[in-house]
Amino acid sequence: MSDKPTRRIVTVALATLAAATALLVTAPSASAQGNCYHYGIAGYAQLFTGYNFDGDCYEVQLNTGWHAIPSYAARKISSLRSWGWYGSERVWLSDSVYGGGLDIPAGSWIQNLGHMDDMADGVEFR
């Protein structure tokens, strides 16, 4: 009896395990706080306290008006990613203390918010 079927099963099992491991490594991390469960879904923007889409997360939905960023993330936002429906939507980060803000096109993934790094305390996705 040949051991080819057994070897094939082991090879397929190892390939499956390798693929699953790769997905776990590259998949977005679960939010430490907040509600960021709409990864890749059009109409959502996710704001993170870490520079690489990690740390605490705050999520806002398209056309739901202005939102005060909760205290766990306010003035700590360092990266942002969003998904729009048509590409004409915008995420607006605001700084109520010093004024100003940042207008970001939907579909952007930004790891460094420049002058708005750790400054945003309000957001609107419109």
Side-chain angles (χ1 to χ4, degrees):
M1 175 158 235
S2 172
D3 68 322
K4 283 189 177 188
T6 303
R7 187 175 295 171
R8 182 176 297 153
I9 290 170
V10 170
T11 302
V12 169
L14 288 175
T16 303
L17 179 61
T21 302
L23 285 174
L24 288 174
V25 170
T26 59
S29 61
S31 61
Q33 289 190 34
N35 177 22
C36 281
Y37 302 110
H38 296 94
Y39 175 83
I41 299 175
Y44 286 91
Q46 299 175 335
L47 292 72
F48 296 88
T49 57
Y51 285 102
N52 195 25
F53 315 112
D54 57 5
D56 291 332
C57 180
Y58 178 67
E59 187 171 72
V60 66
Q61 190 173 6
L62 180 66
N63 293 326
T64 57
W66 283 98
H67 299 268
I69 298 174
S71 61
Y72 68 84
R75 308 193 73 68
K76 299 174 191 168
I77 300 299
S78 296
S79 58
L80 174 144
R81 63 185 175 207
S82 63
W83 301 269
W85 290 106
Y86 305 108
S88 60
E89 299 89 358
R90 314 289 289 179
V91 178
W92 176 259
L93 295 178
S94 66
D95 174 6
S96 67
V97 175
Y98 298 102
L102 185 61
D103 186 22
I104 303 164
S108 298
W109 287 39
I110 300 175
Q111 291 179 305
N112 183 343
L113 297 174
H115 74 281
M116 283 298 290
D117 185 44
D118 295 337
M119 300 297 286
D121 57 8
V123 63
E124 181 180 19
F125 189 14
R126 53 183 174 209

